[in-house]
Amino acid sequence: MIKHATSICRQLDALAGDLLATLKADELPDAERMQDSVTTLLEKGGDITLSTCPGTAEHQLALHLRHELRQHPGATFYDRGRVMVDFIGAVMSNDYTIVTGTGARRIANVITVATRTGTIVAFTTLLRQMVGFAVEKNFLLLGATASLPPRLVAGIVSMLLGPALNLAGAVRDERNGTATVVSRASRIAMGLLSSGALMLVASHRPGFTLGTLMGSVGAQTLTYTLMRDLLQLFFPLHDNGGLNAGGLICSSLFYGLAQGVLGVAMTGLAPHSGAGYVMDEAERITKQMMDWASAASAAAVVIQPNIVHDLLRGALNALTEVFDDLQRPALMRWFAATPATPLLRRRTGHSCAPNTPTSRREGVRIGLSRPRIGNGHWPTAGQAAEQFLTTNAMRTSFFTAVTSIALTAASVLGTTRLTNTDQLLVVNTLIAAVVMVGYPAFIAAHDKPEATPVAAKV
């Protein structure tokens, strides 16, 4: 038993050492003291003196862990390990009784969102880029004439799937009596955005924009939205941000700016990725060869995926989405001027005093809900329907609309005398503007009647 305990502790030390290597110099002392305290607590139980500094977030977490271990004085090493796992789960869920105080709460917010959203977005972005790359290469192998029909079908499906899910979700809300004025307006607004994007794409060289471009890029986008919401169905977040006009407007502005910067960063730092990379390389090779079919075949053979750029795009996109999951509840909380909702009181076990703004009482709190995995915990039909007929319906409609508008704009700008840099800036400015317009509808579509618990939004 002692040998096993020592071995596990050494493994924990090695893992902690890898994590400490990523910290800044001024963050190391408290983190190292936290590591020493946790290792000693695991080895010896709750009756130890902590090495963390009083008043720090690390010290507060260590105190809570020591208190939990003291409740089990006769526990074995493995029992203490289970207590620690439960404690880590409470921190990840941002439990009110475990994580209190500004510092600890904010640390839990960042850890939870970075772990859940960061991992899922990085993985699904990598998958998106690889799928787009493979789809475009296969279209090239079919040839210009033979590939146009399947390209058009793929482009049309990618443009219509989101609106179809949105319509089905609206019907479901009406039948279940869960629709509100806000959610109805949001679904209508997103439907109008999708319709406008479809008409714009169809008005400018539809065979090229809707077929050649959206055929592979649209399939790439659908891969991302569908897989992301499938995974997030099993790992939902909860937060106490609520929904209000001020927070919605500000979070829309910040997310739009973040998407604009993301587009420039991806193009500048990781251009060799996804369907766009294959298109650009095929065009470059075609200019050097007289026969299009030979050039397409040569491109399909020569062009290989650049996994480094795929991973870099995944990291950049994950950083943007983590930022969004942190800034949105914080801004909603900041602009809130009402006491805590009944749902918040049930979760925390505390209620705010009447007429006291919640943002001043508790602060933003983001937690990972119990994963919907395991016997008795799998997603219900209602949860799956909500995830795909509301969240995914809006996300797919939103992202395909933004993508199609950006591709059409890029196609139009390609006929002008603007430099590539200027074209890039114009397109990404347009992306930021469209995101700012569509984001409020994406979030507000999750508005529910007061008696209905609000589902995890993103």
Side-chain angles (χ1 to χ4, degrees):
M1 179 70 72
I2 294 176
K3 290 182 179 179
H4 288 306
T6 303
S7 175
I8 293 175
C9 287
R10 286 176 179 172
Q11 294 176 24
L12 289 174
D13 284 341
L15 177 60
D18 293 337
L19 295 174
L20 290 175
T22 65
L23 299 178
K24 298 178 181 178
D26 59 336
E27 297 173 332
L28 279 173
D30 281 336
E32 289 173 343
R33 284 191 286 268
M34 180 67 174
Q35 177 195 354
D36 293 338
S37 297
V38 170
T39 303
T40 309
L41 284 168
L42 182 59
E43 291 176 340
K44 300 180 180 179
D47 296 324
I48 68 162
T49 300
L50 299 176
S51 57
T52 48
C53 294
T56 63
E58 294 83 3
H59 185 69
Q60 185 181 18
L61 293 177
L63 283 174
H64 279 293
L65 178 55
R66 185 172 67 177
H67 173 73
E68 291 293 319
L69 291 173
R70 282 179 174 175
Q71 304 304 308
H72 307 81
T76 65
F77 173 81
Y78 290 106
D79 290 333
R80 292 197 293 272
R82 282 195 293 271
V83 171
M84 291 185 68
V85 170
D86 292 340
F87 176 80
I88 292 171
V91 172
M92 289 290 290
S93 65
N94 220 335
D95 188 278
Y96 189 88
T97 61
I98 298 295
V99 183
T100 58
T102 301
R105 175 173 49 77
R106 288 176 177 172
I107 289 174
N109 287 342
V110 174
I111 291 175
T112 301
V113 174
T115 302
R116 180 264 199 180
T117 301
T119 301
I120 290 176
V121 171
F123 171 73
T124 52
T125 303
L126 174 63
L127 182 64
R128 174 189 75 183
Q129 300 305 112
M130 296 177 70
V131 167
F133 183 94
V135 169
E136 181 59 27
K137 282 192 67 172
N138 279 279
F139 280 148
L140 287 178
L141 289 174
L142 290 175
T145 303
S147 68
L148 185 57
R151 281 183 184 273
L152 283 171
V153 170
I156 292 172
V157 169
S158 67
M159 291 294 296
L160 295 183
L161 180 60
L165 291 173
N166 189 13
L167 179 60
V171 173
R172 173 178 175 270
D173 287 349
E174 297 296 337
R175 293 187 62 181
N176 292 344
T178 57
T180 66
V181 174
V182 173
S183 67
R184 291 189 187 104
S186 298
R187 288 188 183 275
I188 292 172
M190 188 61 75
L192 291 175
L193 179 61
S194 297
S195 300
L198 182 59
M199 288 189 290
L200 180 65
V201 171
S203 66
H204 175 74
R205 301 172 62 194
F208 178 70
T209 53
L210 189 57
T212 302
L213 297 180
M214 283 300 293
S216 54
V217 179
Q220 177 175 291
T221 303
L222 288 184
T223 300
Y224 172 71
T225 60
L226 293 172
M227 283 303 301
R228 177 175 173 180
D229 282 308
L230 176 62
L231 292 176
Q232 293 188 171
L233 172 63
F234 293 93
F235 300 94
L237 286 179
H238 62 257
D239 64 68
N240 60 356
L243 183 65
N244 55 74
L248 190 58
I249 292 172
C250 286
S251 58
S252 300
L253 293 174
F254 283 126
Y255 186 62
L257 290 173
Q259 285 292 328
V261 173
L262 174 66
V264 175
M266 281 186 171
T267 304
L269 299 177
H272 300 162
S273 179
Y277 168 51
V278 182
M279 291 178 187
D280 292 341
E281 284 297 289
E283 182 180 0
R284 182 182 63 81
I285 294 173
T286 301
K287 290 179 180 179
Q288 301 173 0
M289 302 179 68
M290 296 298 295
D291 184 69
W292 191 94
S294 299
S297 299
V301 173
V302 171
I303 304 172
Q304 297 298 321
N306 188 322
I307 191 64
V308 174
H309 283 205
D310 291 341
L311 289 171
L312 184 54
R313 288 207 173 206
L316 291 170
N317 196 33
L319 182 64
T320 303
E321 295 300 323
V322 167
F323 164 75
D324 178 51
D325 273 359
L326 290 171
Q327 62 99 19
R328 185 187 62 256
L331 288 170
M332 295 292 184
R333 195 74 178 171
W334 177 261
F335 283 94
T338 57
T341 64
L343 178 64
L344 176 61
R345 287 197 289 269
R346 284 200 301 272
R347 185 171 69 243
T348 63
H350 292 72
S351 61
C352 293
N355 303 320
T356 302
T358 51
S359 59
R360 302 297 185 265
R361 289 286 300 179
E362 182 188 343
V364 65
R365 188 177 293 273
I366 309 171
L368 179 66
S369 301
R370 201 260 188 227
R372 295 167 178 161
I373 297 175
N375 188 25
H377 296 285
W378 295 110
T380 64
Q383 289 168 338
E386 178 67 18
Q387 185 75 22
F388 282 96
L389 297 184
T390 300
T391 304
N392 185 253
M394 304 304 281
R395 193 192 310 278
T396 301
S397 300
F398 188 26
F399 280 25
T400 52
V402 171
T403 300
S404 60
I405 291 173
L407 290 176
T408 305
S411 176
V412 173
L413 291 173
T415 62
T416 66
R417 296 182 178 180
L418 290 176
T419 65
N420 290 336
T421 300
D422 290 338
Q423 291 181 36
L424 175 65
L425 293 176
V426 171
V427 169
N428 282 284
T429 300
L430 178 62
I431 289 175
V434 176
V435 168
M436 291 177 189
V437 171
Y439 187 83
F442 170 55
I443 297 300
H446 298 84
D447 184 63
K448 299 295 179 185
E450 290 185 3
T452 304
V454 179
K457 290 182 277 298
V458 292

